[in-house]
Amino acid sequence: MKDRLVLVAYLLGWWVVRTLPEKMAYSLFWSLGEFVHKRNGKSIQRLRSNLHVVKPHLDELELETLVAQSMSSYMRYWCDTFRIQNWSKERILGTVTTTNQELLLNPMKEGKGVVIALPHSGNWDHAGAYFCSLGIPLVSVAERLKPEALFQKFLRHREAMGFEILSLDSRSFATLVKRAREKRLIALVADRDLSQSGIDVKFFGKNARMPAGPALLAIKTGIPIVVAHVSCTNQGIHIDFHPVDVPSEGTESERISATVQATADLFAQGISEHPEDWHMLQRIWVDEKQVHAEGSR
């Protein structure tokens, strides 16, 4: 019954947001963000804690202002995501600016695959729609949502924009390797480990774990790995591309760890520059006591 109610609520909200006049839709989501912020639930408390690590020198008022800005950005993400299927190709292309885009385009022109690693910043659906509008086939992985019908709705939504979405399971990596060898663009959101088998990294000076997937793909297949940081602009989004250096020496495990750490460093750089667009409402850092306990087992 609960799953059914969640599904109905999402579908109703999706329909309403797509049919409302644009200004009214964004105003509604902005108000919703204000309401959630003022309620100060667990997700807001976690967001505040995460942003405090990113910007530890902010005073209480400055930090709270940043939290409010982040929620506003997060609500804009959802409103954009619900409405983007209504957008023309011209609007998608016209609302995106980039830096170092050749890091993506040149390998694709040369017939190579590329793996793009992204943090939960800006609107990665908008970025994906932009890649697809350039005629670049894009593959990504998504965590399976409950209820199943909701997952299928999001799946169809992204497939309609040109994405190929793989469910996060034991078979997804083998398919990604195949797609890499087929010269596809593989885009993976990679600043939070969902597998419980992530790589230990230092992230803003604290212990965190991030998935090995992008690094492992680059090392196994030889394709370049690029970090793409997405931030919001008045017109849409900006995508900042940076190459990730993959070590040529050492064991595979050492090379993977070094590559994931280099990726984490680039994530931190982009997030520091645009902290209001980092939508991390979940736990990201590993408790020091937990690290020591796991190390003593």
Side-chain angles (χ1 to χ4, degrees):
M1 184 64 179
K2 180 181 178 182
D3 284 353
R4 180 69 179 172
L5 290 174
V6 169
L7 176 62
V8 170
Y10 260 96
L11 294 182
L12 180 61
W14 204 318
W15 178 81
V16 168
V17 172
R18 286 190 67 183
T19 54
L20 280 175
E22 186 162 297
K23 287 185 178 180
M24 188 178 297
Y26 284 97
S27 178
L28 174 64
F29 268 68
W30 182 85
S31 298
L32 179 60
E34 286 282 288
F35 172 74
V36 174
H37 178 212
K38 289 177 180 177
R39 284 194 64 188
N40 196 33
K42 289 183 179 179
S43 61
I44 293 296
Q45 293 171 33
R46 177 60 69 182
L47 176 63
R48 183 182 297 111
S49 174
N50 289 341
L51 290 174
H52 179 62
V53 175
V54 174
K55 294 293 180 181
H57 302 300
L58 295 183
D59 63 31
E60 186 176 345
L61 178 58
E62 291 170 333
L63 178 60
E64 209 55 42
T65 299
L66 179 58
V67 173
Q69 291 171 340
S70 184
M71 276 307 297
S72 178
S73 174
Y74 186 49
M75 290 296 104
R76 175 180 166 181
Y77 159 76
W78 279 111
C79 197
D80 281 349
T81 297
F82 286 147
R83 294 178 64 89
I84 197 168
Q85 280 186 317
N86 295 345
W87 296 1
S88 66
K89 179 180 177 180
E90 290 72 26
R91 178 172 180 176
I92 291 171
L93 291 173
T95 51
V96 178
T97 56
T98 65
T99 304
N100 300 324
Q101 183 175 243
E102 68 277 4
L103 294 171
L104 165 65
L105 296 183
N106 288 350
M108 298 302 295
K109 289 176 182 177
E110 295 166 5
K112 299 177 183 177
V114 181
V115 58
I116 299 287
L118 307 95
H120 284 80
S121 289
N123 190 324
W124 46 97
D125 281 304
H126 192 168
Y130 171 74
F131 299 146
C132 291
S133 295
L134 293 176
I136 299 173
L138 181 149
V139 184
S140 192
V141 174
E143 182 181 12
R144 204 166 198 96
L145 300 173
K146 291 183 179 180
E148 176 67 18
L150 181 59
F151 175 76
Q152 293 298 327
K153 170 67 175 176
F154 273 103
L155 196 66
R156 292 191 298 272
H157 168 69
R158 286 167 173 151
E159 287 175 345
M161 292 189 287
F163 299 18
E164 179 186 2
I165 301 295
L166 308 177
S167 176
L168 181 62
D169 57 32
S170 59
R171 298 168 294 177
S172 58
F173 185 77
T175 305
L176 288 175
V177 170
K178 181 181 178 183
R179 295 294 183 266
R181 290 173 176 156
E182 293 170 350
K183 321 305 182 188
R184 302 287 186 90
L185 171 64
I186 299 169
L188 302 173
V189 180
D191 57 345
R192 179 170 174 257
D193 179 45
L194 295 174
S195 67
Q196 305 302 315
S197 59
I199 303 297
D200 291 332
V201 296
K202 283 292 184 181
F203 189 51
F204 289 99
K206 298 184 68 174
N207 296 310
R209 290 195 181 115
M210 294 187 180
L216 188 56
L217 269 175
I219 290 169
K220 288 285 190 185
T221 65
I223 66 174
I225 176 172
V226 177
V227 161
H229 184 272
V230 185
S231 55
C232 296
T233 66
N234 290 335
Q235 291 74 35
I237 59 170
H238 181 79
I239 312 173
D240 196 7
F241 297 95
H242 290 277
V244 179
D245 293 327
V246 178
S248 58
E249 298 181 355
T251 66
E252 182 175 271
S253 178
E254 290 169 342
R255 295 174 69 204
I256 290 170
S257 294
T259 304
V260 177
Q261 182 62 65
T263 302
D265 292 342
L266 289 170
F267 285 168
Q269 178 182 321
I271 292 166
S272 292
E273 293 170 358
H274 301 280
E276 70 281 1
D277 292 324
W278 190 42
H279 309 144
M280 184 52 67
L281 283 72
Q282 297 84 23
R283 187 168 179 264
I284 186 78
W285 282 280
V286 180
D287 183 78
E288 296 285 348
K289 294 180 181 178
Q290 182 180 343
V291 171
H292 295 321
E294 291 178 352
S296 65
R297 289 175 189 170

